[in-house]
Amino acid sequence: MTREELFKLHEDMCCAALDLMKKKNADYAGSGSDPFANFRRAEALGVCSTEQAFLVRMTDKMSRLSSFAAKGKLVVEDESVHDTLQDLINYSVLLSAYIRSNAK
């Protein structure tokens, strides 16, 4: 892979991740204006802090990638490794946005 191909892959993945985030955020956060609503629910239920809720989801994805690395395949076929990586991109952006929104 050339550097230009890498940059194009990065651009394509981030564009696709943004599209996916818009769809999933509508499903998980609901019709309200709080894009972090589903993560805040974990704190409201006394499960963990909102920040930890992001990390739990990211850890789920890392565990899935770890299984893929060990086995070379995934059993659940409707979510590819690429999908899992897109989710990690989105959780990273969401956590960054949450931290920034609370720093104001």
Side-chain angles (χ1 to χ4, degrees):
M1 175 176 283
T2 67
R3 183 175 293 147
E4 291 75 25
E5 289 170 332
L6 173 63
F7 295 157
K8 177 66 174 139
L9 174 65
H10 186 283
E11 180 181 20
D12 292 347
M13 283 187 72
C14 288
C15 286
L18 176 58
D19 184 53
L20 181 62
M21 180 188 280
K22 289 176 182 179
K23 292 174 184 172
K24 284 192 172 186
N25 200 265
D27 285 348
Y28 287 109
S31 60
S33 63
D34 182 4
F36 314 116
N38 58 319
F39 299 99
R40 292 186 206 274
R41 284 187 193 106
E43 189 166 340
L45 292 169
V47 175
C48 61
S49 71
T50 301
E51 293 88 345
Q52 289 169 325
F54 288 104
L55 297 175
V56 167
R57 298 297 179 268
M58 293 172 88
T59 301
D60 291 343
K61 299 302 175 177
M62 294 300 293
S63 293
R64 194 159 195 278
L65 291 172
S66 179
S67 293
F68 173 76
K71 298 176 187 174
K73 66 176 186 169
L74 295 172
V75 177
V76 175
E77 296 177 1
D78 66 337
E79 182 181 339
S80 69
V81 170
H82 181 76
D83 295 335
T84 302
L85 292 167
Q86 278 192 328
D87 285 340
L88 273 172
I89 290 169
N90 286 337
Y91 288 137
S92 296
V93 171
L94 281 161
L95 179 55
S96 179
Y98 182 78
I99 290 168
R100 286 180 189 206
S101 71
N102 287 328
K104 293 180 179 182

